[in-house]
Amino acid sequence: MAALSRQVSAWHHLIPLTWSLIARQTAQLGEQKRTAAFSLRKLTTVSSGGGLGESPFVEPQKCTQEPEHRTGLTQCLLEKQRMAVERGKIVSSLLDMGFSDVHVNELLSIQPATHPQQLLDIISELILLGLNPEPVCVAFKKSPQLLKLPVMQMKKRSSYLRKLGLGEGKLKRVLYCCPEIFTMRQRDIEIIVGVLKEKCLFTVKQVTEILHRCPCVLREDPGELEYKFQYAYFRMGINHVDVVKTDFLQYSMTKTKERHVFLERLGRYQTPDKKGQTLVPNPLLKDILRVSEAEFLAKTACSSAEEFEVFKKLLAREEEESEGRMADDESLEEEEEEEEPEEGEEREP
């Protein structure tokens, strides 16, 4: 009996421990269920396109940005396709104008950033002016900035050049020697044309011929251009027709003066009188300016290179001294003008 009562007492002690253990296990089971449910919600959110910042195995930004990325890629591909179609049309048009495959590739590679239609419009204007494909390519190689010109500016300049008589194939030499004729200010061209017409008294036809044969005059200082003509007309006795025919204005003033004065001091050149007559026969201009220095000395001057070199140094020194005297005279005149009393002012006794 006593043993039975001890067993009952031991059971009573075990019951609280058993219920406590069951409670703890139940709590742990509930926590596991809640964790599983939370994980399930995360997975469900991911599968439905939502974001999951806590999970290291999911990249939500890529998922959300993927449609935009696909749209941008599609637009890029469409743009490339459109540009390829336009390029094909431009190539076909250039081939129809007479350009070879080599020319077309060169033109498209000069300024790759230039829009194909812009390229075609600029080239079309030059073709309408009477240029052939070869000089067009040469002009763009020498002056790529031509491709950046606004089409309207190109049209206006083309119209102005036609008025000067530089259309119908005459522009080839001009564009080769002076491609900036399309980029320089029209006012600068008008000033040079004005000097030739009004100061030098060339006819309209002669001005056109000068611009065609000596396009470098467009780069000249207007004052120096006028002086060059005066030197030819008054010092050398060359008339307007010969100035145009011999391309006199394309030669530098230094070269012209050195050879002319050298012949003059050797007694082989003389300034013509009012009737155009000289005591000695003057050599032709082509034998003075168009030949090399060696040929000039051997055939025209009949002198040595050493003598010519000494003369050039002496002439340069004379020019410097002359310029110095002219500067002194100008400063003296300015001082005298400042010292003169104004009107109504009495002179001091």
Side-chain angles (χ1 to χ4, degrees), residues 147-254:
L147 292 172
K148 297 180 180 180
L149 285 177
V151 177
M152 188 54 63
Q153 179 181 337
M154 194 72 173
K155 290 179 180 292
K156 289 181 179 179
R157 183 57 53 86
S158 299
S159 176
Y160 177 66
L161 294 176
R162 287 190 188 96
K163 290 179 181 179
L164 293 177
L166 293 177
E168 302 302 327
K170 285 190 176 181
L171 193 62
K172 177 180 177 181
R173 179 176 172 82
V174 179
L175 197 59
Y176 181 80
C177 299
C178 185
E180 59 267 32
I181 192 172
F182 281 97
T183 56
M184 63 191 300
R185 297 186 309 169
Q186 183 166 322
R187 177 61 180 161
D188 295 336
I189 301 176
E190 291 172 349
I191 290 174
I192 295 297
V193 172
V195 168
L196 294 172
K197 286 181 179 179
E198 299 165 13
K199 302 288 186 180
C200 305
L201 302 179
F202 286 104
T203 65
V204 174
K205 186 177 180 180
Q206 287 173 335
V207 170
T208 299
E209 197 65 19
I210 289 171
L211 294 177
H212 175 223
R213 297 169 67 102
C214 308
C216 55
V217 299
L218 294 168
R219 301 192 190 102
E220 291 266 5
D221 176 80
E224 292 178 359
L225 180 61
E226 183 183 357
Y227 173 70
K228 187 184 290 188
F229 167 76
Q230 290 176 348
Y231 188 90
Y233 191 81
F234 295 107
R235 282 285 284 113
M236 300 181 70
I238 307 172
N239 59 37
H240 288 77
V241 174
D242 287 335
V243 168
V244 176
K245 187 170 61 175
T246 60
D247 302 334
F248 178 87
L249 296 177
Q250 75 175 333
Y251 301 106
S252 70
M253 197 66 246
T254 301

Side-chain angles (χ1 to χ4, degrees), residues 290-306:
R290 286 189 183 180
V291 295
S292 64
E293 184 174 297
E295 189 174 347
F296 164 74
L297 291 172
K299 296 182 178 180
T300 309
C302 299
S303 183
S304 65
E306 292 78 8

Side-chain angles (χ1 to χ4, degrees), residues 53-167:
E54 298 85 359
S55 175
F57 303 103
V58 183
E59 297 181 0
Q61 292 183 354
K62 287 187 178 181
C63 294
T64 57
Q65 292 181 2
E66 188 175 353
E68 295 179 5
H69 177 69
R70 288 177 180 174
T71 303
L73 183 60
T74 302
Q75 291 177 349
C76 183
L77 291 173
L78 291 174
E79 181 66 19
K80 286 183 177 180
Q81 279 184 334
R82 187 181 66 80
M83 291 295 291
V85 171
E86 287 188 5
R87 185 184 176 94
K89 291 180 180 179
I90 300 303
V91 170
S92 178
S93 299
L94 292 175
L95 292 174
D96 291 341
M97 290 180 187
F99 290 90
S100 65
D101 292 332
V102 175
H103 288 151
V104 171
N105 291 330
E106 288 177 350
L107 289 171
L108 293 175
S109 63
I110 291 173
Q111 288 281 356
T114 303
H115 194 279
Q117 189 60 47
Q118 164 84 1
L119 174 69
L120 184 61
D121 291 340
I122 296 295
I123 292 174
S124 298
E125 285 300 319
L126 295 179
I127 295 296
L128 289 173
L129 281 170
L131 287 173
N132 294 323
E134 184 65 32
V136 169
C137 291
V138 173
F140 285 135
K141 286 179 184 177
K142 294 183 68 174
S143 186
Q145 63 268 26
L146 288 174
L147 292 172
K148 297 180 180 180
L149 285 177
V151 177
M152 188 54 63
Q153 179 181 337
M154 194 72 173
K155 290 179 180 292
K156 289 181 179 179
R157 183 57 53 86
S158 299
S159 176
Y160 177 66
L161 294 176
R162 287 190 188 96
K163 290 179 181 179
L164 293 177
L166 293 177

